[in-house]
């Protein structure tokens, strides 16, 4: 057997709520770490006095009792763990782990026994239920009744508000000097209950301190077991046992400083919960403090951490007193320095502006609302573009619980410092893969287009399907309909200019080039053609044609889909696609080659099946896009193919006759004919101005041969 036993997925009962975490039995301590809050509870092994093993709601549980009277309950063990834990306790703690079940008869009449800070209600000799008196917030009595009220836990779905006990009156034979049983019951409860009463004088008082959360100015009275915030409207009593952490954070202006107290459970004001107490001080404020204790009492209780008379900056006095009374370390910023030389970054969270502090083990944001994120609960971080301007960026933090925190409007100059800090802390960066590929770019440039290079499974799928659809439909365009960019009826003006006998006049004047005037005319005609182009009709899909092949990614996805779903049952389609995209991106080149080969084989099989389908007469017989490229098919040949034999007849009729009219000048209506005559007259006048005397028939023939 080793020196320690560790168990994961163990639950600790705290005020009616089950907090999951990890439990560790070592030779010196019993340690439980809360996964959600990171709080660590440690029980010295020397203080363990009793251990019980019993059946509970979540399986098997262990109840530990210390010599100081505190009780701890842990659930979530398996039956097979009993022997292992009992042997470890016997060997290292000298404590026997005994099995003891609870009474489940459902009786409500029994005996109430007070054992230290625990009230046990027993039926016979078997306990029915137990109440930790530390959870009692108030105790009230009636004639023969005692009512216990409890502290509420916001984490619990169902909370126990109160319990009433009927206490029989004393016997008639009892004397008047004997106290009433109800009063004895109440005194036993209040002696161990967590009822905060401001009795006696405070150790010290800090007057009119500015508090950001909850907002206002408060007098803080320091008592041995709690601190009392007294304001004009509200009062708060905060037990030191609810304090998780203390932070001392310098403001960016270097003139103020924040003192932050993390609380669990939080203080309440109506339906509002304050998980953090935030005080702000000026560094120039100085205070002389005298504790309401003798020098010997201070030395004996606080062992040199405090002295009776102290003086110094106000924030230093408050933090020193709190550190001694709460017995917690104060966390300060580490080695991080931003672009401006300060230890924080100006940013916005939700609708408010504040400061983000990268600490050695966490991020903390102040002040509205305060956020504390430990590195161990961070799943990944992401650097994203700013939504309103390119001079800033967003810093996103995603936790393992699935929550996302976005800190926006961070100055662009802070990017390098923050990126280096996150890398040094070995936090997972969501868009790191892109940054490592673009090794020649600066970090600022990498941030700009990180979103564009991120693998998108849906985009890859659309690209693959579009490519296959284009290859299959290009051949159908040849026979089923006219090419989109060729429409003889709409391009008359352009073709008329190309084949006009007077077109060479401009050529002769510019020695193989094109005049500016001609260029402007052609640009105007091109714009007209694009404007008048008719929308393309959607082609009907052939349902009998062979099914198009899938890409390598989708072949791999179909084979791996069940394995991905088995990782976490209940995943949605979107989550499966996202997880598949991440896995495909992590595959090596050799693994992807296997699926590339399969995709190529599927593509070849599709082409063969499509060719056989066309030859059978069920589909179009036009060649595919690849075949047209091999045979040298061009757009002009496609135009001549669609126009049929009309041009061949025209070629035979071009015999140098002055009355020749090309096909483009022949129109079925008079308006187009008149338009052609007007253009020929305009061309003739242009020719006379240029001084050209070339016969129109010969130039027409030469242009046709060049075509």
């Amino acid at each position: 057997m080793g020196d320690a036993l560790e168990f994961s997925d163990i639950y600790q009962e705290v005020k009616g709520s089950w907090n999951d975490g990890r439990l560790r039995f070592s030779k010196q301590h019993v340690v439980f770490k809360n996964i959600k809050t990171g709080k660590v509870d440690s029980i010295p092994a020397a203080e363990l006095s009793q251990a019980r093993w019993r059946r509970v709601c979540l399986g098997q549980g262990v109840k530990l009792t210390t010599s100081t009277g505190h009780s701890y309950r842990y659930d979530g063990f398996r039956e097979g763990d009993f022997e292992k834990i009992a042997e470890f306790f016997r060997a290292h703690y000298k404590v026997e782990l005994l099995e003891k079940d609870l009474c489940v008869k459902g009786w409500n009449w029994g005996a109430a026994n007070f054992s230290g800070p625990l009230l046990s209600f027993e039926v016979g000799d078997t306990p029915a239920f137990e109440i930790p008196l530390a959870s009692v917030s108030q105790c009230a009595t009636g004639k023969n009744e005692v009512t216990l009220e409890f502290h509420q836990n916001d984490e619990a779905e169902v909370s126990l508000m109160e319990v009433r006990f009927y206490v029989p009156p004393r016997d008639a034979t009892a004397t008047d000097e004997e106290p009433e049983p109800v009063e004895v019951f109440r005194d036993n409860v209040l002696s161990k209950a967590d009822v905060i009463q401001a009795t006696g004088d405070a150790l010290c008082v800090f007057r009119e301190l500015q508090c950001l959360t909850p907002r206002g100015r408060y007098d803080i009275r320091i008592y041995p077991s709690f601190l009392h915030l007294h304001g004009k409207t509200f009062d708060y009593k905060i037990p030191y046992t609810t304090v998780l952490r203390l932070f001392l954070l310098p403001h960016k202006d270097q003139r103020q400083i924040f003192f932050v107290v993390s609380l669990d459970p939080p203080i309440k004001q109506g339906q509002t919960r304050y998980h953090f107490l935030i005080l702000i001080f000026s560094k120039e404020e100085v205070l002389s403090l005298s504790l309401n204790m003798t020098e010997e009492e201070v030395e004996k209780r606080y062992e040199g951490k405090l002295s009776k008379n102290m003086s110094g900056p106000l924030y230093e006095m408050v933090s020193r007193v709190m550190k001694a009374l709460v017995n917690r370390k104060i966390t300060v910023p580490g080695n991080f320095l931003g672009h401006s030389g300060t230890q924080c970054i100006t940013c916005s969270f939700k609708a408010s502006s504040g400061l983000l502090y990268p600490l050695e083990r966490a991020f903390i944001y102040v002040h509205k609302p305060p956020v504390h994120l430990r590195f161990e609960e961070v799943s990944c971080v992401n650097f994203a573009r700013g939504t309103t301007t390119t001079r800033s960026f967003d810093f996103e933090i995603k936790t393992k619980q699935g929550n996302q925190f976005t800190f926006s409007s961070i100055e662009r100059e802070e990017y390098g410092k923050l990126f280096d800090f996150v890398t040094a802390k070995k936090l997972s960066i969501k868009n790191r893969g892109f940054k490592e590929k673009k090794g020649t770019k600066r970090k600022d440039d990498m941030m700009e287009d990180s979103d564009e290079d991120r693998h998108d499974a849906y985009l890859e799928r659309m690209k693959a399907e579009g490519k296959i659809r284009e290859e299959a439909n290009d051949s159908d365009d040849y026979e089923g309909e006219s090419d989109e960019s060729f429409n003889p009826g709409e391009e008359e003006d352009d073709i008329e200019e190309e084949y006009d006998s007077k077109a060479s006049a401009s050529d002769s004047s510019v020695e193989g080039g094109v005049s500016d005037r001609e260029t402007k005319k052609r640009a105007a005609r091109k714009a007209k053609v694009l404007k008048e182009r008719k929308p393309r009709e959607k082609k009907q899909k052939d349902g009998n044609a062979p099914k198009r092949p899938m890409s390598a990614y989708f072949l791999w996805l179909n084979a791996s889909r069940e394995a991905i779903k088995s990782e976490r049952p209940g995943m949605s389609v979107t989550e499966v696609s996202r997880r598949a995209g991440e896995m495909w991106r992590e595959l090596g080149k050799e693994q992807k080659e296997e699926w590339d080969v399969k995709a190529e084989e599927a593509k070849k099989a599709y082409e063969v099946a499509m060719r056989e389908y066309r030859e059978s007469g069920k589909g179009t017989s036009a060649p595919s896009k690849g075949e047209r490229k091999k045979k040298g098919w061009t757009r002009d040949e496609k135009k001549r193919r669609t126009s049929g034999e009309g041009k061949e007849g025209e070629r035979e009729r071009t015999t140098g006759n002055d009355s020749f009219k090309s096909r483009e000048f022949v129109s079925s209506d008079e308006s187009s004919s008149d338009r052609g005559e007007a253009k020929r007259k305009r061309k003739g006048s242009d020719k006379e101005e240029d001084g050209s005397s070339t016969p129109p028939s010969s130039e027409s023939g030469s242009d046709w041969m060049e075509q």
Side-chain angles (χ1 to χ4, degrees):
M1 184 172 55
D3 295 337
L5 293 178
E6 290 190 9
F7 299 91
S8 58
D9 298 329
I10 300 299
Y11 297 85
Q12 181 188 38
E13 192 273 331
V14 178
K15 295 181 181 179
S17 175
W18 294 103
N19 299 330
D20 58 330
R22 300 182 61 185
L23 181 65
R24 186 173 187 267
F25 298 110
S26 65
K27 292 182 179 180
Q28 293 80 20
H29 295 87
V30 176
V31 181
F32 179 83
K33 184 174 183 180
N34 190 320
I35 292 179
K36 184 177 181 180
T37 62
K39 182 179 180 181
V40 178
D41 293 327
S42 181
I43 308 172
E47 293 183 2
L48 291 178
S49 61
Q50 192 178 67
R52 295 286 184 268
W53 179 273
R54 55 190 179 181
R55 187 183 306 163
V56 289
C57 58
L58 298 177
Q60 304 295 324
V62 172
K63 175 191 170 187
L64 303 178
T65 305
T66 63
S67 56
T68 58
H70 293 89
S71 179
Y72 302 88
R73 291 190 290 176
Y74 305 100
D75 292 3
F77 298 96
R78 295 187 293 269
E79 292 185 9
D81 297 333
F82 174 76
E83 296 294 336
K84 183 168 50 176
I85 297 175
E87 184 179 354
F88 188 90
F89 278 29
R90 194 180 303 112
H92 299 288
Y93 301 156
K94 310 301 180 185
V95 174
E96 289 291 334
L97 182 63
L98 304 177
E99 292 187 75
K100 190 170 185 180
D101 292 331
L102 298 175
C103 178
V104 292
K105 292 182 178 180
W107 293 3
N108 61 353
W109 183 264
N113 294 326
F114 292 90
S115 176
L118 199 68
L119 167 60
S120 177
F121 185 82
E122 299 179 354
V123 177
D125 294 332
T126 307
F129 62 87
E130 297 172 338
I131 298 177
L133 296 179
S135 299
V136 177
S137 63
Q138 193 58 261
C139 180
T141 60
K143 183 178 181 180
N144 292 318
E145 277 189 352
V146 178
T147 302
L148 305 184
E149 297 180 6
F150 302 98
H151 293 291
Q152 299 305 303
N153 189 343
D154 293 334
E155 302 296 329
E157 296 181 0
V158 179
S159 297
L160 180 63
M161 303 297 293
E162 66 177 28
V163 173
R164 294 183 180 182
F165 292 93
Y166 171 78
V167 181
R170 61 187 178 183
D171 297 336
T173 58
T175 62
D176 295 338
E177 297 179 357
E178 294 183 11
E180 291 287 343
V182 170
E183 296 178 359
V184 174
F185 192 99
R186 182 197 60 189
D187 293 341
N188 287 331
V189 170
L190 292 178
S191 63
K192 300 295 181 181
D194 186 15
V195 179
I196 299 177
Q197 296 178 351
T199 57
D201 296 331
L203 298 180
C204 60
V205 180
F206 299 99
R207 301 286 183 182
E208 293 290 323
L209 297 185
Q210 184 178 356
C211 190
L212 298 180
T213 306
R215 187 176 178 181
R217 287 191 174 271
Y218 291 85
D219 293 342
I220 299 183
R221 295 183 172 90
I222 305 296
Y223 290 89
S225 60
F226 68 96
L227 64 90
H228 180 201
L229 269 70
H230 176 69
K232 294 181 179 179
T233 308
F234 299 102
D235 282 8
Y236 303 97
K237 296 177 181 178
I238 304 175
Y240 297 141
T241 55
T242 65
V243 176
L244 283 181
R245 297 176 183 85
L246 302 173
F247 300 92
L248 198 60
L249 308 172
H251 197 280
K252 194 171 184 176
D253 60 10
Q254 300 298 322
R255 294 181 297 176
Q256 296 175 306
I257 194 163
F258 296 107
F259 183 65
V260 183
V261 181
S262 176
L263 303 173
D264 184 35
I267 56 179
K268 305 174 185 178
Q269 180 180 313
Q271 297 298 322
T272 307
R273 303 290 184 267
Y274 297 105
H275 293 270
F276 293 88
L277 173 65
I278 302 180
L279 304 172
I280 187 168
F281 302 94
S282 173
K283 288 186 176 181
E284 299 177 354
E285 292 184 76
V286 181
L287 177 69
S288 296
L289 183 66
S290 178
L291 299 182
N292 190 18
M293 299 173 68
T294 63
E295 193 70 41
E296 293 76 12
E297 290 176 338
V298 173
E299 182 65 28
K300 180 180 179 180
R301 180 175 295 185
Y302 301 112
E303 301 175 353
K305 297 179 182 179
L306 297 176
S307 57
K308 178 175 175 58
N309 298 306
M310 299 178 291
S311 62
L314 177 58
Y315 73 87
E316 187 176 320
M317 293 295 99
V318 174
S319 59
R320 185 176 177 182
V321 170
M322 289 293 295
K323 180 181 178 181
L325 293 174
V326 177
N327 197 22
R328 301 275 186 185
K329 294 181 180 180
I330 296 180
T331 304
V332 297
N335 299 325
F336 175 81
L337 285 177
H339 175 71
S340 58
T342 58
Q343 296 174 307
C344 58
I345 296 173
T346 303
C347 62
S348 296
F349 179 63
K350 295 184 177 179
S352 302
S353 178
L355 299 174
L356 178 65
Y357 291 84
L359 308 178
E360 290 301 312
R361 296 184 181 180
F363 293 103
I364 185 169
Y365 172 83
V366 291
H367 81 285
K368 188 177 182 179
V371 177
H372 180 245
L373 299 170
R374 295 175 290 114
F375 290 161
E376 59 187 30
E377 63 178 337
V378 173
S379 173
C380 64
V381 300
N382 181 40
F383 294 89
R385 289 192 186 94
T387 56
T388 58
T389 177
T390 57
R391 296 184 179 181
S392 64
F393 67 95
D394 297 348
F395 183 56
E396 301 172 352
I397 302 177
K398 187 175 182 180
T399 64
K400 295 178 180 177
Q401 287 78 23
N403 300 321
Q404 180 167 313
F405 299 85
T406 302
F407 302 96
S408 58
S409 302
I410 303 176
E411 295 179 0
R412 188 189 186 92
E413 291 76 15
E414 302 285 2
Y415 174 77
K417 299 285 186 180
L418 185 58
F419 181 82
D420 293 339
F421 175 82
V422 172
T423 304
K425 296 303 178 182
K426 298 180 180 180
L427 297 178
S428 175
I429 302 177
K430 192 174 182 181
N431 46 3
R432 175 187 290 275
F434 171 74
K435 293 177 171 56
E436 294 177 347
K437 292 176 185 176
K438 303 288 183 180
T440 59
K441 284 195 174 185
R442 296 183 299 107
K443 290 178 182 178
D444 296 58
D445 294 334
M446 295 177 198
M447 177 195 68
E448 287 186 3
D449 44 10
S450 60
D451 291 340
E452 297 177 2
D453 288 66
R454 198 179 306 158
H455 178 77
D456 191 335
Y458 180 76
L459 180 60
E460 293 293 336
R461 172 184 168 189
M462 293 297 101
K463 286 182 177 179
E465 292 184 355
K467 185 177 180 181
I468 296 171
R469 188 179 297 110
E470 180 183 359
E471 293 177 356
N473 289 348
D474 275 344
S475 59
D476 298 342
D477 294 343
Y478 154 73
E479 193 171 281
E481 58 184 22
S482 300
D483 191 274
E484 182 180 359
S485 62
F486 180 77
N487 193 329
E490 297 180 4
E491 294 183 351
E492 283 184 356
D493 295 340
D494 193 10
I495 301 173
E496 177 184 2
E497 181 62 25
E498 281 191 46
Y499 297 118
D500 192 2
S501 59
K502 304 175 183 58
S504 61
S506 60
D507 296 342
S508 62
S509 62
V510 189
E511 294 183 4
V514 181
S515 66
D516 296 339
R517 183 178 180 183
E518 201 70 23
T519 303
K520 292 179 181 179
K521 288 182 179 181
R522 291 184 181 181
R525 285 193 295 270
K526 185 176 181 181
K528 180 180 178 182
V529 170
L530 293 176
K531 184 177 179 181
E532 296 178 356
R533 184 173 298 160
K534 296 180 180 179
R536 184 175 176 178
E537 295 182 1
K538 187 175 180 182
K539 182 174 177 61
Q540 296 295 328
K541 185 176 179 181
D542 189 356
N544 298 324
K547 190 175 181 180
R548 298 185 183 94
M550 289 186 289
S551 63
Y553 169 74
F554 283 100
L555 289 172
W556 169 84
L557 177 60
N558 288 342
S560 308
R561 192 184 304 275
E562 296 301 325
I564 296 173
K565 289 183 178 180
S566 63
E567 290 182 2
R568 193 176 67 184
M571 294 176 69
S572 65
V573 177
T574 305
E575 292 174 342
V576 172
S577 300
R578 185 183 299 112
R579 176 58 181 157
E582 295 173 356
M583 294 175 64
W584 177 256
R585 187 169 60 252
E586 294 170 358
L587 287 181
K589 184 178 180 181
E590 296 79 6
Q591 295 172 306
K592 289 185 178 181
E593 282 182 358
E594 174 188 353
W595 299 100
D596 290 336
V597 171
K598 292 183 179 180
E600 188 64 27
E601 292 175 355
K603 183 178 179 181
K604 291 179 181 179
Y606 168 75
E607 291 177 353
V608 172
M610 197 67 186
R611 193 178 301 112
E612 293 176 355
Y613 179 72
R614 293 195 187 102
E615 291 174 356
S616 65
K618 298 180 180 179
T620 178
S621 59
S624 64
K625 185 176 181 180
E627 293 173 350
R628 293 206 306 274
K629 286 183 178 180
K630 291 179 181 179
K631 294 180 180 180
W633 280 54
T634 63
R635 183 178 297 275
D636 293 336
E637 290 176 286
K638 193 172 183 182
K639 293 177 181 178
R640 289 197 294 273
R641 184 85 175 236
T642 56
S643 62
E645 300 296 330
K647 286 196 175 183
E648 295 296 333
E650 291 174 8
R651 188 174 300 169
E652 295 175 359
R653 292 194 296 271
T654 56
T655 58
N657 191 348
D658 288 348
S659 61
F660 162 76
K661 290 184 180 180
S662 63
R663 175 182 173 275
E664 288 74 14
F665 284 88
V666 179
S667 176
S668 59
D669 57 339
E670 281 190 21
S671 59
S672 61
S673 178
D674 295 340
R675 209 165 41 241
E677 290 294 332
K679 281 188 176 282
R680 283 198 296 277
K681 289 180 180 180
R682 189 167 59 254
K683 293 293 181 179
S685 62
D686 293 342
K687 172 190 166 189
E688 290 176 1
E689 291 174 2
D690 296 336
S692 175
S693 59
T694 306
S697 60
S698 62
E699 290 201 12
S700 177
S702 63
D703 285 346
W704 182 263
M705 294 301 294
E706 289 177 0
Q707 175 63 18

